[in-house]
Amino acid sequence: MTRLKESLRQYGPAGVIVLAVLGAWKLATSVFGVEEYILPAPDEVITTLIDRWDRTLSSATWVTLKEVVVGFAIAVAAGLLIACALHFSAIARRAIYPLLIGSQTIPVVVIAPILAIIFGYSITPKLILVALLCFFPIVVGTLDGLAAVDPQLTRMMRTLYGNRWSIFLRVEFPSALPSMFTGLRLSAAYAATAAVFGEYSGSTDGLGHVMRQAVPQLQSSLVFAAITLLTAMSVALFVLVTLLENVLVPWAKEGKNR
């Protein structure tokens, strides 16, 4: 009962807002007689989700999920490696960090078609796009965490004859974990969006491909069903990263609860 009360206290307000939005959405479509192809009611979206699951949405969801998970994993590996390299080398940080910032100014809608032209309709351009969109928050969060380490801890390690590598492993990296996971959570929210952009630019399957085909046919309920699945995918990845943080960095959660 205590855990249930805590869950209701933490997630109850958000649930109430979601239910209120769905109720207002249903009421608006019923009162104003909005056509389904303009704005489908929530129950129509659910019906479409169930009816088209086996025929269309299940395979498309699996394709997009694979792009999101693999692309996110690449972003995590690349982001952590780049952040650690920039932390160890001031010259590399001055040379590469401005270029990383500049890379984020290029719109995704411009990069996606170029990648589709170069790599075709395979999974490769989607993975590259997810990695490009997701790695930057990981780099920034990890770098900020590494730079914010208490200098007294570093000095203490040096008095104990700790070398650069041992200071990094025992002090700097553990201290940077909360900031790193902040970047991971931000990236988790972007991953599905990047995958859909890649599928819109060129694909033969995936939720983005389903949406691209449904829009000209005015199948709005199918579009909303795909959006629902994408939202669930992003939320699930975000929750997974948060759970992993609670397991690996329990002291960060304790600090937030104080």
Side-chain angles (χ1 to χ4, degrees), residues 7 39 41 48 50-51 65-67 70 92 99 134 161 175 179 184 193 195 213 221 234:
S7 299
L39 181 64
T48 302
I50 296 173
D51 292 342
L65 180 62
K66 183 166 59 174
E67 295 166 356
V70 177
L99 300 178
C134 292
Y161 302 100
S175 299
S179 296
L184 287 173
T193 302
Q213 288 188 321
S221 59
S234 297

Side-chain angles (χ1 to χ4, degrees), residues 213-231:
Q213 288 188 321
V215 169
Q217 301 174 20
L218 300 180
Q219 296 179 335
S220 298
S221 59
L222 183 58
V223 174
F224 275 86
I227 292 173
T228 302
L229 292 171
L230 286 169
T231 302

